[in-house]
Amino acid sequence: NIGIVMRVGADGTVYAIWAGASSADPNLGVRFAKSTNGGRRFSKAVKIADMLGVGVSGYRSGVILPSFDIDPITGDLYVAWADARFTETPIVFTDRARDGGATWSEPMRVDDRADDAPTITVQVAASGAGEIAVGYYALQSDTTAPFDYLLNRSADGGVTFEREVSASRKAVDARFAPRAGRGAGVVFLGDDVGVA
């Protein structure tokens, strides 16, 4: 279990989302639990979606870390993550619940990228009344090429998304990104980035 993100709803319910597995279900998935008594006791963890976390060679990408936010007006829950379920590279998916997490939608692809162009380090933010934004690093098929930070917005609660737009002033050259690990290490775009 890794990458827990906790949020508190307007009614005080504490929600938790993370990537994990269990002895009963050893397959990696997006897990969910909630507490209605201030975090003293949580519901049994449930898997809301399978997750096929595939890394990107030469990058520390935070690919299995989900992001989570709550619409402050409607209380709808939104989760986003990178997943390789339909491709050999990670692409962006979102999932939503409109009933406090009792039922979740089918995961939906968000990015407009080619199937062999990875998207990593995904974040989601909800601004109210069904407006959400999903941000992610977008690499090229050739991962040594420059990359961008892209945003994709939905005005209808994640039912549909607009075309992605670049939030970068210009493409970023990975040769100048920080490195992590021994020796030369890997390009460290980070496990964390924020979207508001």
Side-chain angles (χ1 to χ4, degrees), residues 39-143:
R40 289 187 295 277
R41 183 176 300 269
F42 278 83
S43 63
K44 183 177 179 181
V46 296
K47 181 166 71 172
I48 63 172
D50 290 320
M51 176 186 279
L52 182 55
V54 174
V56 178
S57 180
Y59 284 81
R60 175 159 171 175
S61 61
V63 74
I64 65 167
L65 302 177
S67 176
F68 173 50
D69 206 7
I70 302 172
D71 185 307
I73 295 173
T74 66
D76 293 348
L77 311 177
Y78 296 99
V79 182
W81 70 97
D83 198 308
R85 68 179 62 211
F86 300 127
T87 61
E88 294 182 6
T89 58
I91 56 180
V92 180
F93 279 88
T94 61
D95 207 347
R96 67 185 183 281
R98 296 202 161 120
D99 54 7
T103 56
W104 292 83
S105 65
E106 284 296 313
M108 183 176 83
R109 183 174 179 172
V110 173
D111 67 275
D112 301 327
R113 315 287 297 153
D115 285 351
D116 63 348
T119 52
I120 57 176
T121 316
V122 179
Q123 286 292 307
V124 63
S127 65
E131 295 181 333
I132 64 170
V134 180
Y136 42 91
Y137 285 118
L139 307 176
Q140 307 299 320
S141 302
D142 173 6
T143 56

